[in-house]
């Protein structure tokens, strides 16, 4: 089973700043099959990024993903109030599918 | 448009069996390489994948829960059913179903989730 470790656990930034969220895998993720999801309180997760770097339909270009192998990054440029949420990475290259423990992003 | 909706009991007693239904629209589970998964999230905790069923009736399960889970589908009703036996308070969570659109394996559409509490 691939273990995903996200850092930091909590990130507190100001409006307009850039957020960098990390996801490290215990072993290489096949074909960069790595997705990122955003979850707001009381809501289901929403797909942001798939294939490590492809934006899902309707996701603003402020969100970008990068990385390969064991190390992946989600970058959110120009933070807006609605970006306050918990962000999860997930690998879908091997079963069992696994999620990271999440990074909570707070907007000051 | 694609929608999914979970339904099932809000409260289950310990040792009972939980049965959840995912009713979906906007796609067919008979489409080549279409898949649906169940995922759960205990209060304040991370997401955990539980099971997946494919268009050709292939089934896959969480390693730690495989002995307790059964996933099935009724293509004519656009439904996927998950049963979990021997429920325990640690199984208290919100349970989601999610589509894995052909040919991908990431979760592109999610239901709103159904909360399940396990308590005597």
């Amino acid at each position: 089973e691939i273990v995903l470790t996200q850092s930091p656990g909590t990130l507190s930034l100001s409006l307009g700043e850039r957020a960098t969220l990390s996801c490290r895998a215990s072993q290489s993720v096949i074909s960069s099959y790595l997705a990122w999801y955003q979850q707001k309180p009381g809501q289901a997760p929403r797909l942001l990024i798939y294939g490590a770097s492809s934006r899902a339909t309707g996701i603003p270009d402020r969100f970008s993903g990068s990385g390969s192998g064991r190390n992946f990054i989600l970058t959110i440029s120009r933070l807006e109030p609605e970006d306050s949420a918990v962000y999860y990475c997930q690998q879908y290259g091997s079963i069992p599918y696994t999620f990271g423990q999440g990074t909570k992003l707070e907007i000051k | 448009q694609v929608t999914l909706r979970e339904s099932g009991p809000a409260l289950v007693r310990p040792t009972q069996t939980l049965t959840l239904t995912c009713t979906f629209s906007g796609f067919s589970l008979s489409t080549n390489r279409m898949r649906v998964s169940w995922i759960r999230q205990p209060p304040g905790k991370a997401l955990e994948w539980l099971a997946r069923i494919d268009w050709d009736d292939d089934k896959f399960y969480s390693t730690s829960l495989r002995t307790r889970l059964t996933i099935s589908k009724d293509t004519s009703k656009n439904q996927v059913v998950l049963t979990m036996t021997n429920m325990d308070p640690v199984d208290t969570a919100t349970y989601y179903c999610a589509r894995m659109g052909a040919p991908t394996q990431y979760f592109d559409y999610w239901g709103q989730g159904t909360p399940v509490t396990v308590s005597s």
Side-chain angles (χ1 to χ4, degrees), chain B residues 53-93:
Chain B
I53 191 164
D54 294 357
W55 79 102
D56 59 359
D57 213 35
D58 268 352
K59 299 162 188 175
F60 302 86
Y61 296 100
S62 158
T63 305
S64 59
L65 294 169
R66 62 170 55 247
T67 61
R68 298 174 53 205
L69 296 174
T70 302
I71 192 169
S72 61
K73 64 180 174 69
D74 186 331
T75 304
S76 65
K77 292 183 178 178
N78 282 349
Q79 290 182 334
V80 172
V81 175
L82 181 76
T83 62
M84 181 180 292
T85 60
N86 195 24
M87 293 292 285
D88 183 272
V90 300
D91 297 313
T92 293

Side-chain angles (χ1 to χ4, degrees), chain A residues 66-78:
Chain A
S66 63
S68 63
R70 294 178 55 204
N71 294 292
F72 300 88
I73 297 287
L74 174 68
T75 301
I76 312 170
S77 60
R78 307 184 305 278

Side-chain angles (χ1 to χ4, degrees), chain A:
Chain A
E1 171 173 323
I2 296 178
V3 176
L4 299 178
T5 302
Q6 293 187 240
S7 61
T10 302
L11 190 56
S12 185
L13 295 169
S14 299
L15 289 173
E17 287 193 305
R18 172 191 299 257
T20 302
L21 287 66
S22 172
C23 177
R24 175 166 291 185
S26 60
Q27 53 189 281
S28 187
V29 176
I30 295 171
S31 301
S32 294
Y33 283 166
L34 193 287
W36 291 92
Y37 302 87
Q38 177 192 66
Q39 187 179 35
K40 298 181 179 180
Q43 296 184 17
R46 177 175 72 145
L47 176 68
L48 297 175
I49 300 288
Y50 63 90
S53 61
S54 297
R55 269 187 303 276
T57 303
I59 302 303
D61 59 8
R62 300 186 295 105
F63 292 86
S64 63
S66 63
S68 63
R70 294 178 55 204
N71 294 292
F72 300 88
I73 297 287
L74 174 68
T75 301
I76 312 170
S77 60
R78 307 184 305 278
L79 285 170
E80 298 187 2
E82 60 266 29
D83 298 334
S84 180
V86 178
Y87 293 82
Y88 293 97
C89 59
Q90 178 242 338
Q91 67 80 22
Y92 53 98
S94 62
I95 288 174
Y97 303 128
T98 49
F99 292 87
Q101 82 279 19
T103 290
K104 183 177 182 180
L105 176 60
E106 298 175 340
I107 310 299
K108 289 189 280 192

